C-alpha cells in the first residue's frame, strides 16, 4: 500500500519514516517533503503545494493511492479532507469544521465550555478598546491570543498590563478581527496527542515540548525546540483523568455539533500545581516536534491505526503497543531563528550523527545540486531512543554535536524539567 503525506517538516519526515517501517507500506509520497524525505529509501517528494488540493487529488487518482495523512493545520483548516471526500480515499485528518478546534480559539473555547472541559477563563473581544479595558481591570500576568491561525505567533503571555495592551493593539493592527484575553495559569505543560475515529479516543504517549528559544525556557516563542516522550508527569491515573475529563467529552461535543472528526486531537495542557489538567489549546494535527519523539517508540504499525480511524473502527484495535524506554528530539535551528535567518547554508555530519545511533529527521532542509542546505528556521530534529531518558539524551546530544552548518543553534537542556523534577527513573 502507498501513502501520501502532506507537509514538509520534521513531523512529516517522522510520519513517512514510521509508515515505511511497516511491511505493508510499499512507498510514501511527500507533498512537498524536504531534503530528508527526498533521499529516504521508499519515499518520494512531489513538487506540489500543501494547498494544491486539485493537484493532490489528481495524483491520488492517477496512482490509486488509498491513504492520505495530513501533517499541518493549514490544509486541514482549508478543507483538504472535505475536498478529497468524494475520491474514495481515506484521509487521516479532520474536515474543515473539525479543524476549527485549532483554527478558531473562540470556537474551541465555546466547545470546551459547553462540554465542561477544564480550561482557563477567557473573554473574547472584537475591539481593542474593550479588550484593553478588561485587561486593566484584570491585571497581569495575563494571556492574549489571536483568534485564528498564526503559525505559533498568536499567543502573548504578558507579564505586565502595558505589555498586554501593546499585544492587543498589535494583533488588531495585524488584521486579526478578534482576540481572546485569558487567565494566566502556572504549572507544567504537557502535550497529549490522541488518535480518534470520531467516537473512540486512544491517547499516544504524553510528551513535553520546549517552546522558547533559550535554555531555561527563556526568550521568544518558537515552533518548538525539542521534545521528549513519555512525560512521566502524566501518570497512568492522570492520563485516565485526561481521557475522562478532556478527550472523551471533547469528541462527544464534536459529535453533538455534527462533526465527524477523524485524525489527531492534540491537547496542549497545563497541569496546575494542584494536579488539575486544563486545556490551553487544541490542535487538529500531530505536534511538531512531539511527533518526532513519540513515533520512534511506537510498535503498532502506524498505518493500521490510521486506517482504523478512517474506517471508524478504532474501538476494535488492540491497545497501542509501545517500546520500553524514552525518546528525545533536539531541534537544530538556523542562526537568528525565530527572527530573520539566512537560508542555503551547507549541512554536513548527518551520517556521523546517525553512526552514533541518532535518527535525524529533517525539517527546513533541501537538496541543491546534491548538496543538502538549510531551507527554514528549524532545520533538523536529532532524535534518539534509549532504555531511559539519560541514555536517550546522551545519544541525541552526541549525535547533534557531529552536525555542522554555519551558526547552528540548539538548546542543550531539552528535558530539563524532567531532570529538575528528579523524574529520571529507569
Ligand atoms: P498556545 O499556542 O495556546 O499553546 O500558547 C502558546 C504558549 O503560551 C503555551 O505553550 C504556553 O506556554 C503559553 N500559554 C498559553 N495559554 C496560557 C495560559 N492561559 N497561561 C499561561 N501560559 C499560557
Ligand atoms: N509543538 C507545538 C505544536 O505542534 O503546536
Amino acid at each position: 500500500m502507498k501513502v501520501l503525506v502532506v507537509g514538509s517538516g520534521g513531523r512529516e519526515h517522522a510520519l513517512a519514516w514510521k509508515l515505511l517501517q511497516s511491511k505493508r507500506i510499499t512507498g510514501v509520497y511527500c507533498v512537498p517533503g524536504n531534503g530528508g524525505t527526498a533521499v529516504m529509501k521508499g519515499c518520494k517528494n512531489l513538487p506540489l503545494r500543501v494547498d494544491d488540493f486539485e493537484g493532490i487529488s489528481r495524483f491520488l487518482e492517477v496512482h490509486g493511492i488509498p491513504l492520505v495523512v495530513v501533517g499541518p493545520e493549514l490544509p486541514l483548516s482549508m478543507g483538504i479532507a472535505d475536498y478529497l471526500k468524494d475520491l474514495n480515499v481515506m484521509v487521516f485528518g479532520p474536515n474543515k469544521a473539525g479543524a476549527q478546534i485549532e483554527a478558531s480559539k473562540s470556537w474551541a473555547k465555546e466547545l470546551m465550555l459547553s462540554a465542561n472541559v477544564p480550561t482557563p477563563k477567557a473573554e473574547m473581544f472584537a475591539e481593542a478598546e474593550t479588550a484593553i479595558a478588561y485587561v486593566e481591570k484584570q491585571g497581569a500576568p495575563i494571556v492574549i491570543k489571536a483568534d485564528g491561525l498564526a503559525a505559533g505567533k498568536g499567543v502573548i503571555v504578558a507579564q505586565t498590563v502595558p505589555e498586554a495592551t501593546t499585544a492587543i493593539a498589535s494583533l488588531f493592527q495585524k488584521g486579526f478581527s478578534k482576540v481572546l484575553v485569558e487567565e494566566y495559569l502556572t504549572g507544567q505543560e504537557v502535550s497529549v496527542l490522541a488518535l480518534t475515529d470520531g467516537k473512540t479516543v486512544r491517547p499516544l504517549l504524553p510528551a513535553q515540548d520546549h517552546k522558547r528559544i533559550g535554555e531555561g525556557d527563556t526568550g521568544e516563542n518558537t515552533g518548538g525546540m525539542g521534545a521528549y516522550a513519555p512525560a512521566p508527569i502524566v501518570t497512568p491515573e492522570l492520563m485516565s483523568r485526561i481521557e475522562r475529563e478532556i478527550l472523551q467529552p471533547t469528541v462527544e461535543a464534536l459529535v453533538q455539533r455534527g462533526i465527524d472528526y477523524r485524525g489527531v486531537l492534540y491537547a496542549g495542557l497545563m497541569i496546575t500545581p494542584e494536579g488539575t489538567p486544563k486545556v490551553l489549546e487544541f490542535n487538529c494535527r500531530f505536534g511538531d516536534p512531539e511527533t518526532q519523539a513519540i513515533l520512534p517508540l511506537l510498535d503498532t504499525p502506524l498505518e493500521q491505526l490510521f486506517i482504523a480511524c478512517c474506517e471508524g473502527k478504532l474501538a476494535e484495535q488492540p491497545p497501542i503497543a509501545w517500546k520500553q524506554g524514552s525518546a528525545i528530539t533536539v531541534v537544530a535551528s538556523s542562526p537568528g531563528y525565530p527572527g530573520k535567518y539566512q537560508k542555503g547554508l551547507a549541512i554536513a555530519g548527518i551520517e556521523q550523527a546517525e553512526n552514533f545511533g541518532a535518527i535525524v529527521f529533517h525539517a527546513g532542509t533541501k537538496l541543491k545540486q546534491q548538496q543538502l542546505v538549510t531551507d527554514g528556521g528549524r532545520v533538523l530534529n536529532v532524535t534518539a531512543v534509549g532504555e531511559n531518558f539519560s541514555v536517550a539524551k546522551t545519544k541525541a546530544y552526541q549525535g547533534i554535536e557531529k552536525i555542522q552548518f554555519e551558526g547552528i543553534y540548539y538548546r542543550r537542556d531539552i528535558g530539563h524539567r524532567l531532570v529538575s523534577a528528579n523524574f529520571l527513573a529507569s
Side-chain angles (χ1 to χ4, degrees):
M1 175 197 263
K2 291 203 163 77
V3 187
L4 187 141
V5 173
V6 178
S8 62
R11 166 183 55 203
E12 288 76 18
H13 190 176
L15 285 164
W17 171 86
K18 191 73 209 176
L19 285 163
L20 282 165
Q21 287 182 351
S22 299
K23 287 197 189 70
R24 216 166 140 197
I25 301 298
T26 52
V28 173
Y29 292 101
C30 283
V31 171
N34 57 38
T37 55
V39 297
M40 185 164 59
K41 201 164 164 269
C43 193
K44 196 169 178 332
N45 286 351
L46 303 177
L48 294 172
R49 289 163 49 115
V50 300
D51 58 358
D52 181 1
F53 298 168
E54 202 191 315
I56 293 171
S57 117
R58 215 175 310 123
F59 188 87
L60 292 167
E61 248 183 323
V62 170
H63 293 84
I65 294 163
L67 176 63
V68 178
V69 179
V70 187
E73 60 277 20
L74 185 76
L76 291 167
S77 68
M78 290 171 67
I80 188 169
D82 311 72
Y83 190 95
L84 299 176
K85 172 168 109 269
D86 298 328
L87 261 194
N88 200 23
V89 288
M90 293 178 282
V91 181
F92 182 81
N95 57 17
K96 187 172 179 173
Q100 287 181 94
I101 205 157
E102 173 164 2
S104 170
K105 301 253 184 215
S106 54
W107 190 88
K109 200 56 134 182
E110 197 276 317
L111 184 89
M112 286 186 256
L113 293 177
S114 75
N116 266 326
V117 167
T119 181
K121 192 174 88 192
E123 293 281 337
M124 179 66 62
F125 298 93
E127 281 154 13
E129 295 70 35
T130 44
I132 290 168
Y134 178 76
V135 162
E136 281 168 350
K137 203 166 82 209
Q138 296 293 314
I142 198 153
V143 183
I144 314 298
K145 298 188 174 183
D147 186 37
L149 291 184
K153 305 246 159 72
V155 176
I156 299 99
V157 179
Q159 295 302 331
T160 63
V161 170
E163 213 185 308
T165 54
T166 309
I168 292 167
S170 135
L171 289 177
F172 278 109
Q173 248 164 30
K174 281 185 191 148
F176 289 101
S177 58
K178 284 193 250 164
V179 300
L180 199 83
V181 180
E182 189 171 87
E183 172 196 3
Y184 170 80
L185 294 184
T186 56
Q188 277 233 40
E189 277 185 68
V190 64
S191 307
V192 173
L193 284 61
L195 304 180
T196 179
D197 62 357
K199 306 180 287 275
T200 301
V201 177
R202 290 279 174 90
L204 304 178
L205 291 180
Q208 214 158 24
D209 186 9
H210 298 64
K211 290 205 167 139
R212 304 294 187 109
I213 187 73
E215 282 160 22
D217 298 324
T218 53
E220 280 186 83
N221 251 322
T222 70
M225 294 304 292
Y228 65 87
I233 184 175
V234 183
T235 58
E237 295 72 37
L238 183 56
M239 186 57 103
S240 305
R241 186 169 171 195
I242 291 167
E243 284 187 68
R244 204 171 55 244
E245 294 180 8
I246 293 170
L247 300 171
Q248 202 63 50
T250 300
V251 167
E252 281 159 24
L254 289 165
V255 171
Q256 272 169 16
R257 280 165 176 70
I259 296 171
D260 186 10
Y261 191 106
R262 299 177 191 215
V264 173
L265 179 63
Y266 164 146
L269 304 172
M270 185 73 92
I271 313 298
T272 67
E274 300 76 49
T276 307
K278 294 193 179 181
V279 180
L280 296 183
E281 64 163 353
F282 276 123
N283 293 321
C284 63
R285 51 166 174 87
F286 278 104
D288 187 339
E290 291 94 324
T291 305
Q292 293 88 305
I294 294 170
L295 291 183
L297 295 169
L298 179 69
D299 259 345
T300 304
L302 187 55
E303 85 290 349
Q304 185 180 311
L305 296 168
F306 288 161
I307 293 169
C309 288
C310 293
E311 292 184 336
K313 293 182 177 164
L314 194 54
E316 293 170 25
Q317 284 290 309
I320 300 177
W322 299 100
K323 293 184 205 315
Q324 290 295 316
S326 285
I328 176 173
T329 187
V330 183
V331 172
S333 65
S334 295
Y337 175 79
K340 278 209 176 73
Y341 55 84
Q342 197 186 331
K343 291 184 182 178
L345 305 168
I347 304 170
I350 290 185
E351 232 172 87
Q352 288 89 320
E354 287 171 343
N355 290 342
F356 269 91
I359 312 162
V360 181
F361 295 123
H362 294 221
T365 72
K366 72 170 182 191
L367 280 179
K368 199 173 159 192
Q369 285 137 19
Q370 300 313 306
Q371 167 66 51
L372 188 73
V373 297
T374 64
D375 194 42
R378 291 188 294 167
V379 179
L380 296 167
N381 303 257
V382 181
T383 303
V385 174
E387 69 242 42
N388 60 40
F389 175 74
S390 308
V391 173
K393 182 173 176 180
T394 305
K395 236 200 256 182
Y397 278 102
Q398 278 175 343
I400 206 165
E401 277 167 20
K402 303 289 168 293
I403 293 179
Q404 297 140 25
F405 58 84
E406 201 186 315
I408 182 172
Y409 171 79
Y410 52 91
R411 277 180 61 168
R412 284 157 207 276
D413 68 340
I414 300 304
H416 69 98
R417 290 182 217 110
L418 194 56
V419 179
S420 59
N422 213 1
F423 262 128
L424 279 181
S426 55

